Amino acid sequence: MTNHKVKCSNFDIANDQPFTLIAGPCQLENEAHAIKISTELKKITSDLGINFIYKTSFDKANRTSHLSKRGLGLDKSIKIFEEIKKTLQIPILTDVHSSEQCEKLKNSVDIIQIPAFLCRQTDLLQSAAKTNLVINIKKGQFLAPWDVPNILRKIEDFNQNILLTERGVSFGYN
């Protein structure tokens, strides 16, 4: 098996490449908070000599309660993503929940993340793939490992820049 490499910004992500940290706040609170966190994380990772991808969510649509805070929303967040990219020159990852969001984000982020609950949604996967951005798929714990190739086949005709986030296996199918 070959070692799959994914080009992200100015570095490659692969098993034989230096460590890459994906980190940031769960949800995007506001611009000042995002700039402060991303600046500090960039400094720490630069000092350690490791690659860094800033991750935050504009909408935490899978909260347990409909009364929970979800984030700033797409339009406000795009402006903040663009500011971070311009000033800090770091790659940005955010998750999406609908096909329409993929197209709106394609010029503002570097990686589109597919949430675990949506990891098998064909339209969403293909819309994300067609942006030509890196796609990070969080594998649902409800999926058996041998189900993952089916997810990949939904994307590979459009995009080979695929990362998989393994989250273990419990309950569910098979």
Side-chain angles (χ1 to χ4, degrees):
M1 175 183 250
T2 61
N3 187 28
H4 181 73
K5 288 186 177 16
V6 173
K7 182 76 170 164
C8 179
S9 189
N10 61 348
F11 56 87
D12 289 335
I13 301 171
N15 289 338
D16 66 352
Q17 296 297 303
F19 179 76
T20 297
L21 177 68
I22 300 173
C26 183
Q27 79 180 32
L28 188 56
E29 302 277 340
N30 58 56
E31 184 173 1
H33 183 256
I35 297 288
K36 180 178 180 176
I37 298 290
S38 57
T39 299
E40 286 301 313
L41 287 170
K42 180 181 179 181
K43 181 183 181 320
I44 291 166
T45 53
S46 293
D47 290 348
L48 293 171
I50 60 175
N51 298 322
F52 169 56
I53 299 167
Y54 178 68
K55 186 265 181 209
T56 193
S57 299
F58 62 88
D59 181 14
K60 297 302 293 180
N62 63 344
R63 294 284 193 219
T64 303
S65 170
H66 68 285
L67 302 175
S68 299
K69 282 180 61 176
R70 289 180 48 170
L72 289 181
L74 184 59
D75 294 332
K76 290 179 183 176
S77 298
I78 285 174
K79 293 174 186 167
I80 296 170
F81 293 151
E82 290 171 350
E83 181 63 25
I84 291 170
K85 281 183 66 146
K86 184 177 85 175
T87 58
L88 295 175
Q89 299 178 343
I90 54 175
I92 298 173
L93 177 152
T94 196
D95 45 353
V96 294
H97 306 96
S98 71
S99 297
E100 299 77 27
Q101 292 171 343
C102 298
E103 183 66 24
K104 289 182 179 183
L105 283 162
K106 74 178 184 182
N107 297 315
S108 305
V109 301
D110 302 273
I111 303 173
I112 290 179
Q113 180 166 280
I114 306 298
F117 281 125
L118 301 174
C119 71
R120 297 185 341 161
Q121 299 299 311
T122 303
D123 292 344
L124 180 59
L125 291 166
Q126 291 180 346
S127 293
K130 289 175 183 176
T131 65
N132 291 317
L133 296 175
V134 175
I135 309 304
N136 184 43
I137 303 163
K138 290 178 77 174
K139 184 184 94 39
Q141 295 96 320
F142 53 85
L143 285 179
W146 47 86
D147 291 326
V148 173
N150 296 323
I151 295 169
L152 297 177
R153 281 191 282 279
K154 292 179 180 187
I155 297 176
E156 290 174 327
D157 286 345
F158 307 101
N159 190 331
Q160 296 291 308
N161 293 315
I162 305 167
L163 300 171
L164 292 170
T165 300
E166 173 58 66
R167 304 182 69 231
V169 178
S170 61
F171 312 112
Y173 307 111
N174 299 316

